[in-house]
Amino acid sequence: MEKTLSLIKPDAVERNLIGKIITIFESNGLVINKMKKIHIDLKFAQKFYEMHSSRPFFNDLCNYISSGPLVAIVLEGDNAIQKNRDLMGATNPSEAKEGTIRKMFAISIDKNSVHGSDSSESAKREIELFFEQD
Ligand code: ATP
Ligand code: MG
């Protein structure tokens, strides 16, 4: 069984979409292993997105993800990392396929409603970052 980190980002939490998004995971065979609502600070956001630190959108990205509560989830299942990425859809919702979470709920490339680990290395790092103290 593989594990991956999902985040329901502040734009989706603010619009009361937690249940709708979790239902999509569960309906597609992903199991919620751990879950918590948390408001991260800017320092944590910069650590989480450190691989993007040289990108022009880095400051906006970190300010946004720390702007309000998010829901961090450890999803478990066969091929969980790729399955979650497929359910999420493309980073830019205007390019996301019909039926994906970002197509249904995302507002923009910044407020794109969900995050999902993109490899087993990032899954391990991100799960530790959010849940190691629990
Ligand atoms: P995430 O890491 O949030 O799951 P992702 O893996 O689909 O999304 P990344 O390339 O890791 O996309 O980018 C991280 C986040 O940075 C994206 O979710 C998006 O909000 C923002 N981002 C990425 N590319 C751009 C861009 N060209 N302009 C503005 N924001 C961007
Ligand atoms: Mg990413």
Side-chain angles (χ1 to χ4, degrees):
M1 278 293 181
E2 194 172 69
K3 286 181 181 167
T4 189
L5 183 86
S6 165
L7 298 180
I8 303 178
K9 294 184 179 182
D11 70 273
V13 171
E14 188 179 72
R15 286 176 291 145
N16 240 2
L17 293 170
I18 299 169
K20 285 197 170 121
I21 293 173
I22 289 169
T23 298
I24 295 170
F25 296 143
E26 293 190 327
S27 314
N28 285 278
L30 291 171
V31 171
I32 292 165
N33 173 260
K34 290 182 181 172
M35 178 163 76
K36 66 178 175 189
K37 192 177 192 181
I38 175 178
H39 189 156
I40 62 170
D41 64 18
L42 185 60
K43 202 169 155 226
F44 188 105
Q46 288 165 340
K47 175 104 192 113
F48 180 72
Y49 277 130
E50 65 187 7
M51 73 297 291
H52 296 307
S53 61
S54 62
R55 310 288 288 276
F57 55 81
F58 181 67
N59 284 337
D60 286 346
L61 178 61
C62 294
N63 283 328
Y64 159 65
I65 201 74
S66 60
S67 66
L70 56 77
V71 175
I73 307 166
V74 177
L75 291 173
E76 192 174 34
D78 289 332
N79 208 15
I81 296 169
Q82 189 58 46
K83 191 179 272 184
N84 181 38
R85 297 286 300 186
D86 292 345
L87 292 172
M88 286 162 57
T91 309
N92 189 339
S94 67
E95 291 163 14
K97 287 193 191 131
E98 214 58 54
T100 62
I101 293 169
R102 282 168 166 167
K103 178 70 179 184
M104 286 189 271
F105 303 127
I107 296 168
S108 64
I109 191 166
D110 309 289
K111 298 185 172 182
N112 61 6
S113 302
V114 281
H115 160 83
S117 309
D118 60 12
S119 66
S120 50
E121 295 72 34
S122 25
K124 185 173 180 299
R125 187 185 80 87
E126 293 171 1
I127 289 169
E128 277 175 15
L129 206 49
F130 272 93
F131 289 99
E132 72 187 336
Q133 72 280 17
D134 298 341

